[in-house]
Amino acid sequence: PSPHPFPGVFSLQDIRNTVGNIPMEWYQDFPHIGYDLDGKKIYKPLRSKDELDLFLEKMENPEYWRTVEDRQTGAAVPLSEEQLELVQRLQRGHFGDVNFDPYEPSVDFFTHEVRIHPVTNRPADKRSFIPSLVEKEKVGESPEFRGEKLRRAGRSRWDREIGKIQDPNSVLGRHKMHVPAPKMPLPGHAESYNPPPEFLLSPEEERAWRQQDPSERRPGFLPRRFPSLRAVPAYPRFIHERFERCLDLYLCPRQRKMRVNVDPEDLIPKLPRPRDLQPFPTTQALIYRGHSSLVRTLSVSPSGQWLASASAWWPWPCECPLGTFPHSQIPRFPWNPNPSVCLVAVAVDEQVLLVNPGLGDRLLVAATDQLLDSWEAPEEERVQPARWVPAGPEERSKGIRLLVQHGKPVMQVTWHGKGDYWASVVRNPGGRQVLIHQSSRRWSQDPFRRSPGMVQCVRFHPLRPYFLVASQRSVRIYNLLRQELTKKLQSNCQWISSMAVHPGGDNVICGSYDSKLAWFDLDLSTRPYRLLR
């Protein structure tokens, strides 16, 4: 046994209690207080004295004031003179040992001379790098932080209860976050040992049931009929179904979904007044009917006066038809954005036609023809990825000035902002897909050494020397002057179908075949600023 703080109090008989260092309150309702070395119970002393007997003993017994109760045995033990002196010294705040001198001269273990070896080379403790909690409590008791302490103490009880529920380590949190496992469905009539006839399968149905995959069988067992319950054999799939049940409980996560009571009227957005949305079109100004089939594409002249449209076979401007083209593909015909040039690029099958529709000012039409006819053939013929062919007399009468033959079906044509350069996209997976052309010099070039993927569409930047190439899932931005990749935009779409650049040049939108619209801010990030559905 451990030494007692008051030596000499107990006899040999008192230290035989072998219960160990446990709370003695555990024996409060028992007649015994422990066990001796032989394992026998040590009974408590009889306490048959009432309050009157205790008062008389206090008045008559001169040793009553120094008598204490031993918690280990329950007996009353008087203290000796040495023990009383020890208690009095402790009450006065002195040391328990009489011979201890707290004011003895200290011995200086260190000298003023600096040594090359440290007295101790013990590494610094972890607590030396962590802010002290004791200092934090002292700072919190200062008047400067008393207002902050009152503010923290004024938190509502609701927040504290919510914190307890959300904390998975708290008892209340574990109780609230517990989600019971779903119970298995109760057996029906088909699982009876004597099911009704309508639940039994015919030979054809049983043959079809066995040919099905086990995961598709409905029901998952074969109903059987037995003459009595004693004739029912053991279920052969019992262990297998118990194992699947354990897998469902172990692997299938369960989550509690909190229901929110929301007024349905609050979910309906408040529509603005039509007056705040003005200006917007309010009157139908013109209807043009000239196509015999569905209109597929439109193109507006830079002046806004002329509109070109196309159906499956016929491209038309609103006031003067360009003619017919025998092809099986819907033509693409962007109008030249330069208002000083009257030119339309029409993509037809494997060639691009540069057409002067002859609309507007005669001087403008003549200047466009002069620009295209001023080209002089170089002395040495250069190898180009496309072939420039001048239009014949019959084609020239229809407005066609040049034919640029690509050798592959042309999917898209787009103009540069200044109106001299234009780009085309051909259907050639794994090969040359993008070509950049210059009308005044009749020159074509391939800007890429290797294919950047399956190109869907291209665009010129309206202000900067950038060239945007859209593949299936990304948009690459190239610097035409430095001839390097500047940025790559991730669209988060499955398949990009179209692309448009804002006239200011800071925003790009991409449409996709999975009904998404990705809006990019070029100054913000390479990820979509907003993804619309």
Side-chain angles (χ1 to χ4, degrees), residues 357-390:
L359 305 174
D361 190 2
R362 295 181 180 179
L363 297 178
L364 180 61
V365 175
T368 302
D369 290 340
Q370 184 180 0
L371 176 64
L372 296 179
D373 296 339
S374 62
W375 173 78
E376 296 182 359
E379 297 179 357
E380 297 181 0
E381 185 177 358
R382 296 174 295 182
V383 179
Q384 302 185 39
R387 182 186 176 195
W388 293 71
V389 179

Side-chain angles (χ1 to χ4, degrees), residues 138-277:
K138 292 182 179 180
V139 172
E141 296 295 335
S142 61
E144 292 81 2
F145 291 89
R146 190 168 298 170
E148 179 68 17
K149 185 177 181 181
L150 292 177
R151 185 186 66 80
R152 294 180 180 179
R155 292 178 178 175
S156 63
R157 177 178 176 271
W158 178 255
D159 294 341
R160 292 194 296 270
E161 293 297 331
I162 291 297
K164 291 180 181 179
I165 294 176
Q166 293 179 353
D167 185 11
N169 297 325
S170 63
V171 178
L172 185 59
R174 292 195 300 268
H175 176 69
K176 293 294 182 181
M177 297 306 294
H178 172 69
V179 180
K183 297 182 179 180
M184 295 186 64
L186 297 177
H189 296 291
E191 300 181 60
S192 173
Y193 74 94
N194 187 16
E198 59 268 15
F199 290 96
L200 297 176
L201 301 181
S202 62
E204 294 78 9
E205 294 176 347
E206 182 177 354
R207 191 180 307 107
W209 182 86
R210 294 184 182 278
Q211 292 177 358
Q212 290 180 348
D213 188 79
S215 60
E216 300 179 356
R217 292 175 179 174
R218 295 294 181 273
F221 60 94
L222 196 61
R224 295 287 184 87
R225 173 176 290 182
F226 299 94
S228 63
L229 189 61
R230 292 179 297 175
V232 178
Y235 184 46
R237 290 180 52 83
F238 175 76
I239 298 179
H240 182 75
E241 290 187 357
R242 291 296 93 191
F243 178 71
E244 289 184 348
R245 172 67 175 175
C246 294
L247 289 182
D248 292 341
L249 298 178
Y250 170 61
L251 298 178
C252 297
R254 298 187 293 272
Q255 182 181 6
R256 184 186 300 273
K257 294 185 178 180
M258 307 299 292
R259 294 186 58 184
V260 181
N261 296 326
V262 181
D263 188 7
E265 299 295 334
D266 298 339
L267 299 178
I268 302 177
K270 296 182 180 180
L271 299 178
R273 297 180 300 176
R275 186 181 306 173
D276 299 337
L277 301 177

Side-chain angles (χ1 to χ4, degrees), residues 14 17-20 22-36 40-45 47 69-75:
D14 297 329
N17 195 354
T18 60
V19 294
I22 63 172
M24 302 307 298
E25 290 81 2
W26 292 358
Y27 292 93
Q28 184 176 359
D29 299 333
F30 294 94
H32 63 284
I33 200 169
Y35 302 89
D36 56 7
K40 297 181 180 180
K41 297 181 180 180
I42 301 177
Y43 291 93
K44 298 179 182 178
R47 297 184 180 276
E69 180 183 357
D70 185 11
R71 295 183 179 180
Q72 198 76 8
T73 59

Side-chain angles (χ1 to χ4, degrees), residues 316-499:
W316 295 90
C318 290
E319 299 186 17
C320 179
L322 291 176
T324 62
F325 303 93
H327 60 88
S328 59
Q329 184 184 3
I330 301 174
R332 311 292 180 182
F333 44 90
W335 218 296
N336 195 309
N338 190 354
S340 61
V341 178
C342 183
L343 203 61
V344 179
V346 182
V348 181
D349 285 342
E350 298 182 358
Q351 59 186 357
V352 177
L353 311 179
L354 296 183
V355 181
N356 185 354
L359 305 174
D361 190 2
R362 295 181 180 179
L363 297 178
L364 180 61
V365 175
T368 302
D369 290 340
Q370 184 180 0
L371 176 64
L372 296 179
D373 296 339
S374 62
W375 173 78
E376 296 182 359
E379 297 179 357
E380 297 181 0
E381 185 177 358
R382 296 174 295 182
V383 179
Q384 302 185 39
R387 182 186 176 195
W388 293 71
V389 179
E394 182 180 357
E395 296 172 339
R396 195 172 183 86
S397 62
K398 296 180 181 180
I400 302 175
R401 298 297 182 261
L402 291 173
L403 293 87
V404 184
Q405 299 176 355
H406 291 68
K408 297 289 182 179
V410 181
M411 304 302 298
Q412 185 216 0
V413 179
T414 181
W415 285 94
H416 189 265
K418 295 183 179 181
D420 190 17
Y421 289 90
W422 54 279
S424 60
V425 178
V426 298
R427 184 187 299 170
N428 187 19
R432 182 186 297 115
Q433 301 183 67
V434 181
L435 298 179
I436 297 180
H437 315 271
Q438 187 178 3
S439 302
S440 60
R441 298 176 56 188
R442 300 186 183 181
W443 170 250
S444 302
Q445 58 180 339
D446 182 9
F448 302 110
R449 296 180 179 176
R450 59 180 182 179
S451 175
M454 186 176 295
V455 179
Q456 304 299 316
C457 56
V458 295
R459 285 288 185 272
F460 287 98
H461 196 277
L463 302 177
R464 301 176 184 176
Y466 290 165
F467 189 59
L468 288 78
V469 180
S471 58
Q472 286 188 0
R473 296 191 178 185
S474 61
V475 178
R476 292 176 172 86
I477 302 178
Y478 296 92
N479 192 323
L480 297 178
L481 294 181
R482 299 181 181 178
Q483 299 181 3
E484 63 181 7
L485 178 64
T486 303
K487 193 178 297 185
K488 184 178 181 181
L489 308 179
Q490 300 294 336
S491 64
N492 295 341
C493 301
Q494 294 295 332
W495 196 309
I496 297 177
S497 61
S498 57
M499 177 177 55

